[in-house]
Amino acid sequence: VDLIGGSHWHGGLYGNYLWGRTRDELGRRLGGIVEPLSPRIQGGGYLQYQADRRLSLGVQLSHDTAGAGAYLRFYADYALPKIGYIEHELELQWQAMNAPAMRRYFGLDASQAAALGTPSWQPGEGAELARLEYDAFVPTSLHTGFALSIGYGRLYGQAGDSPLVTRYGARDQVTEGLAFVYHF
């Protein structure tokens, strides 16, 4: 929700739904040892500067509404020239978490670590991820369309050093998404 609504500056309330992880997603080796994570809703604020028609820079600060951590994200969006009706852009992101959020996603307590044969891991706050993303919107009518997202990120710092990442996951994170959008 944009409460500033200026020609260059925007800012206000920000919300996000953060997916968790299920026991099935953890797989045979981690399921039953590492706790699944329930989905969460984040609430906070954002500030964005629209430098020109194509470039915007922003920051988002949010907190898990169930009290499991705080998140900081800086981003830069660059709108690419349209291809017909297709709108697309590149986004560069840098994300950080406070200690409770970092431990929720990347930590291992002593009993979990012993069951996995790894050292326990209790990370503190810090940088988590750098990411480059390509987003496209393909309209299908005046109010509808498909949104596509493809991203490559790299976990680093204490997140990237977690035994969950180094032994069972990957520092390189590839994501993709496809959605049908209805604009009111």
Side-chain angles (χ1 to χ4, degrees), residues 26-97:
L26 288 167
R28 256 191 13 245
R29 295 201 59 196
L30 298 177
I33 298 171
V34 174
E35 293 296 317
L37 300 177
S38 60
R40 301 295 178 107
I41 295 174
Q42 297 175 346
Y46 78 99
L47 183 64
Q48 180 175 302
Y49 177 69
Q50 187 78 39
D52 59 30
R53 282 185 28 238
R54 296 195 184 274
L55 178 65
S56 62
L57 308 167
V59 61
Q60 295 170 337
L61 180 61
S62 61
H63 198 279
D64 186 321
T65 58
Y71 307 85
L72 175 66
R73 182 173 83 100
F74 291 96
Y75 61 91
D77 290 324
Y78 185 75
L80 300 167
K82 283 185 175 184
I83 301 173
Y85 292 109
I86 300 172
E87 301 172 20
H88 55 153
E89 71 177 19
L90 291 174
E91 181 173 276
L92 183 61
Q93 304 173 14
W94 179 88
Q95 298 174 188
M97 299 176 165

Side-chain angles (χ1 to χ4, degrees), residues 12-24:
L13 302 176
Y14 167 78
N16 190 23
Y17 183 80
L18 195 62
W19 293 103
R21 67 179 176 221
T22 66
R23 184 178 175 141
D24 288 343

Side-chain angles (χ1 to χ4, degrees), residues 109-122:
D109 65 28
S111 64
Q112 293 168 329
L116 293 172
T118 68
S120 64
W121 189 253
Q122 295 300 311

Side-chain angles (χ1 to χ4, degrees), residues 160-176:
D161 292 339
S162 168
L164 290 174
V165 174
T166 59
R167 294 186 185 198
Y168 303 101
R171 289 179 189 253
D172 296 320
Q173 302 286 304
V174 177
T175 58
E176 65 283 324

